[in-house]
Amino acid sequence: MAYWLCADRNGQEHDHIQRFDPRFWTVNFPRPMMASVVTTAPDALRLTCEFHHAGELAGLIWESEDTLDHPLHAYVTNRDYAHAVLSFRWRSGGVIPLDAVHGPTLTIEGRDASGAARAWYVRLWNYAAGSPEDAVVTLPFSALQSGFALPGEPVHPHDIDRMFISLVPPGYVPGSADPLAQRADGWVEMSDIACDGARAMLEIGESMLPEHGEQIATAYDDCFNQTPARLIRQIRQLGYRGRVVHYVGMSHYFRLEPLGGGHYVSLAGGVLNDACAAWHRAYAEEAQAAGIEIIWSLSYELFDAHCWNDWKQRSADGAPAQTGWEPPSALLSPAHAGAMGYLRQVAAAFVQIARSADMPVRFQIGEPWWWVTPGSFAPCLYDDAARAAFGGDPPVIADMRAPLDEAQKALLDAAGALLSTSTAALAQAVRDAAGGEAEVLLLAFTPTILDGQMPEIERANLPVGWAWPAFDRLQLEDYDWLTAAADARRRAAYAHVDARLGYPIDRQDYFAGFALNAEDAPAYWARIDAALDEARMRGVTQRFVWALPQIARDGYTRLAPPQTDQREDHMQNFDDVPYPLTLGTDASASPEFSTSVLVTASGHERRTAQWADARLRFDVGPGIRSESELATLLGFFRARHGPARGFRLTDPFDFSSNGTTGAPTSADQLLGLGDGETTRFALVKRYGEEPEPQVRRITRPRSGTVRVSVGGQETAGFTLDPLGFVVLDDAPAAGAEVRAGFLFDVPVRFAEDRLAISAAGFAAGQAPSVPLIEIREAA
């Protein structure tokens, strides 16, 4: 399906919003405090905070430049606030009030009249009418003054990047890392938000993309700083419908309790912190109103700094299982009763949020596995709880790549059984919390659990206890292989998982993506988009793009298929059938290029080639010599609806990779060089001499004629994909030449909508003209 990486809005539909629209405020704060912002009305928002240290500060932020929304839906950048007036009603509790030292302050960051970067600090109490915790605040930007008391230094309002309102707990000490005597819970409500005066309205993208059949994923750790209303607006307007997989994260949802100078996850006072609970209640309500269902996703991963040490998986040398993120997260041990019990209570809390919003309960257990330490390949099966579960003194596996004896394999089988038991218990906790009506899904990441370097790891991380119907749906993701173009590994994994777990295709979901770094976007999104199409062709009905932040950053825009009736759509197909007549010796073939030639006044020429490859034209009429052949031609022309549908034609002058008509060999044409990952190579034929031969894509090879070699050795370990792609079973080593030989046809169509044949002329031996033209296939 077509897609677009949109960098800027250029003429697409737009609307206007009031400057300071509540949906587009964000929040930020230092760990371990938590905060969230939600909209409560079209002109109102609420901020919820949880403070743990005396020096913690939350900022409620308005950005002049929208860097979070998709380019089609962002508001325009306008840094000039001169003669604009922001007003709102302020109510607060649990934070230092407006009139106190360190009370709520508007920090404005921008440039002064000379262009020098600087900041101004506007005390809100100086512009408030009412009490310190319930007041109307009016901020005339052209008359604002910085400082604790008035008069102060005038603010330069013409070049502002961002502004934020700072909120701190009672007992605030700037820069202090001392813990508060007890957790401080605060809140702020801003209502009746209005902007008047100059530039009070901002243009905003308002394109509503048609529904395209794909679904999307979000994660609280990625979007905790935004309002749920902003996210749901993005999802709908980008054409995503149906379901959203929402990963509740591993670093922002939990309650914390202090211990020994640190803070650890806790059930004291409730499972979820107030900021997280408020945000997710709002998210569920926004999704429900938009007709979107949420699949709540919970993993066995927890922010390392707040994870109890005995909950962590560990390798045989005692090292904890930690991811490569910075700061790292830890993997919870499926053997630890406390850790698994904690996850079950977290799951139940999110189920209750879904039920309160009258949403069907759909819950994903996300990537549960025993961690293998990167680099050393040491499995983390040896935390105290796991050792006890495995008999107290399990055999040591130092490196999963090494050959394993029967005792070590038995340990991996036991680990898989334990993992399966833990996921079953979590699934049952979800069903119990939902009152029995719940859909439980399992997400598995095949590049890790089917890593070819560790052939036995599936015993632990793809246990047979997960076999259908242990879960309602099985979800697979393979983006490491996908973005590396390791297509053979991806396909082998599908077949292997099908054989091992047995989920019907209509019970399988697919996760495509993601592009972690912006510089990879052009290459990766092409592969992600193609993988969505491939999954659809495999019969996978639930397909998800991971994830919204990367989609917005890179402008990935999935386009809906043309809205045509079934007959019109069918007419676009290529009929993979050969031209039914043998070409006579009088048939002609004419390769053509498109070249613009500019002749100067002096007679010199400037020539520009418009095409990289020649396009063929044929006239097959001179080969027709009998009435029966003429009847065959007429029937074939009608069946193709004239030029509407393509077909194969053998070029009598050039149909082989070996010269033009020779028998193919596996060394005929260089397809590419191995890199250790890529398995998919396009068939090509080169014309002319090095260093710059003309390269022709071959999209219609004859499948039984294709021969392939890797590093000079012919191999049968490949499949032939549509449109002339060879997919090797194993990725060639770096630098290894991949070559192929083949016979091929040319994809063509009739050049004209009518076929003019004169009966008198044909009877007199005059050959009709039947022009054909080569089709450029999207390959």
Side-chain angles (χ1 to χ4, degrees):
M1 193 180 295
Y3 74 97
W4 173 34
L5 295 185
C6 172
D8 296 291
R9 192 166 66 251
N10 184 18
Q12 285 81 21
E13 194 169 345
H14 65 273
D15 201 345
H16 290 83
I17 60 167
Q18 180 179 263
R19 204 169 205 168
F20 302 109
D21 186 309
R23 294 173 295 176
F24 300 97
W25 289 78
T26 61
V27 65
N28 209 348
F29 49 88
R31 296 183 189 276
M33 78 161 290
M34 297 293 167
S36 70
V37 58
V38 303
T39 54
T40 56
D43 62 351
L45 59 81
R46 180 181 174 94
L47 183 74
T48 305
C49 300
E50 182 176 287
F51 301 94
H52 296 280
H53 292 91
E56 290 173 345
L57 177 151
L60 182 61
I61 305 165
W62 177 266
E63 300 269 5
S64 296
E65 181 182 3
D66 184 350
T67 61
L68 296 175
D69 289 309
H70 190 283
L72 285 176
H73 303 123
Y75 55 80
V76 299
T77 301
N78 191 326
R79 293 184 170 84
D80 189 354
Y81 292 77
H83 308 294
V85 178
L86 169 63
S87 62
F88 51 85
R89 182 184 177 187
W90 173 279
R91 296 179 62 244
S92 65
V95 298
I96 289 184
L98 289 169
D99 65 337
V101 175
H102 304 307
T105 299
L106 179 67
T107 298
I108 299 176
E109 298 174 340
R111 281 155 293 278
D112 62 20
S114 69
R118 63 154 304 167
W120 296 269
Y121 304 95
V122 178
R123 187 184 183 210
L124 293 187
W125 181 244
N126 292 337
Y127 298 90
S131 72
E133 294 185 324
D134 188 349
V136 174
V137 177
T138 303
L139 300 170
F141 282 89
S142 288
L144 288 182
Q145 297 181 44
S146 176
F148 185 80
L150 298 179
E153 179 188 7
V155 172
H156 183 69
H158 295 281
D159 196 1
I160 295 174
D161 291 326
R162 75 167 186 165
M163 58 190 76
F164 63 91
I165 299 172
S166 56
L167 307 165
V168 298
Y172 174 71
V173 179
S176 173
D178 295 337
L180 294 170
Q182 60 181 17
R183 184 187 75 235
D185 297 327
W187 60 272
V188 168
E189 288 183 350
M190 290 170 57
S191 58
D192 301 325
I193 299 172
C195 184
D196 297 306
R199 293 167 291 279
M201 305 297 288
L202 295 175
E203 181 185 304
I204 189 170
E206 198 61 27
S207 300
M208 180 67 75
L209 273 68
E211 185 175 350
H212 43 60
E214 310 307 327
Q215 297 171 113
I216 200 168
T218 59
Y220 186 48
D221 289 343
D222 291 336
C223 58
F224 65 89
N225 59 324
Q226 301 178 58
T227 67
R230 185 178 196 166
L231 299 177
I232 296 298
R233 172 183 179 265
Q234 285 279 287
I235 290 168
R236 277 189 51 79
Q237 295 196 177
L238 287 171
Y240 297 94
R241 299 289 189 276
R243 298 177 171 189
V244 172
V245 169
H246 177 71
Y247 177 37
V248 301
M250 54 86 183
S251 63
H252 286 86
Y253 67 75
F254 35 66
R255 284 279 190 195
L256 293 174
E257 62 182 64
L259 180 68
H263 286 80
Y264 297 87
V265 296
S266 173
L267 296 174
V271 180
L272 308 179
N273 65 68
D274 290 346
C276 167
W279 193 96
H280 283 92
R281 283 194 297 267
Y283 190 56
E285 291 167 1
E286 294 282 353
Q288 178 77 323
I292 292 172
E293 294 182 358
I294 297 176
I295 300 174
W296 308 88
S297 170
L298 180 65
S299 75
Y300 281 40
E301 193 173 347
L302 203 61
F303 191 65
D304 183 73
H306 301 318
C307 182
W308 297 98
N309 282 324
D310 59 338
W311 286 15
K312 300 175 185 178
Q313 297 179 28
R314 294 181 183 273
S315 57
D317 63 2
Q322 293 183 333
T323 64
W325 302 110
E326 186 57 43
S329 54
L331 278 296
L332 301 181
S333 173
H336 196 284
M340 295 299 100
Y342 175 74
L343 287 185
R344 292 194 290 272
Q345 294 207 48
V346 172
F350 282 105
V351 168
Q352 291 306 317
I353 290 175
R355 295 187 70 185
S356 296
D358 293 324
M359 303 187 80
V361 175
R362 311 200 187 282
F363 199 91
Q364 178 206 84
I365 302 174
E367 297 180 351
W369 55 29
W370 293 98
W371 188 250
V372 177
T373 306
S376 70
F377 290 84
C380 294
L381 306 170
Y382 301 97
D383 56 272
D384 289 345
R387 285 180 180 273
F390 300 143
D393 188 22
V396 171
I397 302 174
D399 187 334
M400 278 301 306
R401 297 168 297 180
L404 304 182
D405 60 29
E406 293 305 313
Q408 291 169 324
K409 292 178 184 178
L411 172 62
L412 294 175
D413 289 336
L418 187 57
L419 179 63
S420 177
T421 298
S422 74
T423 55
L426 182 53
Q428 189 58 50
V430 168
R431 294 189 175 100
D432 291 344
E437 294 295 325
E439 181 180 73
V440 181
L441 309 89
L442 179 86
L443 175 65
F445 185 61
T446 53
T448 295
I449 63 177
L450 295 177
D451 188 335
Q453 299 180 87
M454 304 181 290
E456 301 295 345
I457 194 62
E458 68 174 87
R459 293 174 179 268
N461 284 339
L462 192 66
V464 293
W466 285 351
W468 166 259
F471 301 96
D472 297 299
R473 301 190 71 82
L474 175 67
Q475 300 182 306
L476 298 178
E477 58 179 333
D478 56 12
Y479 53 78
D480 280 7
W481 288 340
L482 171 63
T483 54
D487 292 322
R489 295 189 190 182
R490 296 175 56 236
R491 297 181 189 192
Y494 302 151
H496 187 83
V497 171
D498 286 349
R500 186 170 177 85
L501 300 185
Y503 282 79
I505 193 65
D506 63 349
R507 292 285 183 163
Q508 294 186 35
D509 299 352
Y510 179 68
F511 275 57
F514 57 92
L516 179 62
N517 300 310
E519 58 267 27
D520 295 324
Y524 284 11
W525 284 113
R527 295 168 187 170
I528 292 166
D529 195 81
L532 293 169
D533 290 339
E534 178 191 64
R536 177 173 53 82
M537 295 298 293
R538 288 194 293 116
V540 177
T541 58
Q542 302 286 324
R543 302 172 301 275
F544 297 86
V545 187
W546 180 266
L548 183 59
Q550 288 79 29
I551 288 171
R553 179 199 66 199
D554 300 331
Y556 173 70
T557 309
R558 178 82 167 174
L559 303 177
Q563 296 297 309
T564 58
D565 63 34
Q566 188 174 16
R567 177 179 174 276
E568 289 173 331
D569 186 58
H570 183 61
M571 292 278 287
Q572 302 301 317
N573 292 341
F574 181 93
D575 291 340
D576 201 12
V577 296
Y579 178 69
L581 300 173
T582 301
L583 301 190
T585 56
D586 293 332
S588 64
S590 307
E592 65 174 0
F593 284 93
S594 176
T595 307
S596 64
V597 180
L598 175 64
V599 181
T600 66
S602 63
H604 292 85
E605 293 181 348
R606 181 172 299 167
R607 296 174 298 278
T608 303
Q610 307 294 333
W611 298 348
D613 188 10
R615 190 181 194 188
L616 285 164
R617 290 182 180 270
F618 300 88
D619 191 341
V620 298
I624 300 172
R625 286 293 181 264
S626 68
E627 289 187 2
S628 64
E629 289 187 350
L630 182 60
T632 298
L633 171 64
L634 289 171
F636 190 77
F637 180 80
R638 284 181 172 273
R640 308 286 80 73
H641 295 264
R645 297 163 74 166
F647 53 94
R648 288 175 176 258
L649 179 76
T650 299
D651 180 351
F653 309 106
D654 186 4
F655 57 81
S656 174
S657 59
N658 184 3
T660 56
T661 60
T665 75
S666 63
D668 289 347
Q669 300 291 330
L670 177 65
L671 307 187
L673 300 178
D675 60 7
E677 284 291 345
T678 302
T679 57
R680 185 179 174 90
F681 296 85
L683 292 180
V684 296
K685 182 175 180 181
R686 289 173 167 80
Y687 296 82
E689 300 298 326
E690 300 289 351
E692 293 188 7
Q694 194 260 315
V695 181
R696 177 185 184 184
R697 266 291 279 122
I698 303 300
T699 60
R700 296 291 165 177
R702 300 181 203 168
S703 60
T705 71
V706 178
R707 302 175 63 182
V708 177
S709 65
V710 177
Q713 298 296 314
E714 186 163 359
T715 177
F718 70 91
T719 56
L720 185 62
D721 266 13
L723 296 179
F725 286 96
V726 167
V727 181
L728 298 167
D729 293 349
D730 298 301
E737 286 192 347
V738 179
R739 290 181 170 269
F742 43 83
L743 301 180
F744 62 92
D745 295 324
V746 182
V748 299
R749 62 170 174 82
F750 288 101
E752 299 175 356
D753 276 310
R754 67 175 184 169
L755 196 57
I757 298 174
S758 166
F762 186 76
Q766 181 180 347
S769 176
V770 184
L772 308 179
I773 188 168
E774 183 179 5
I775 297 170
R776 289 271 200 242
E777 295 195 278

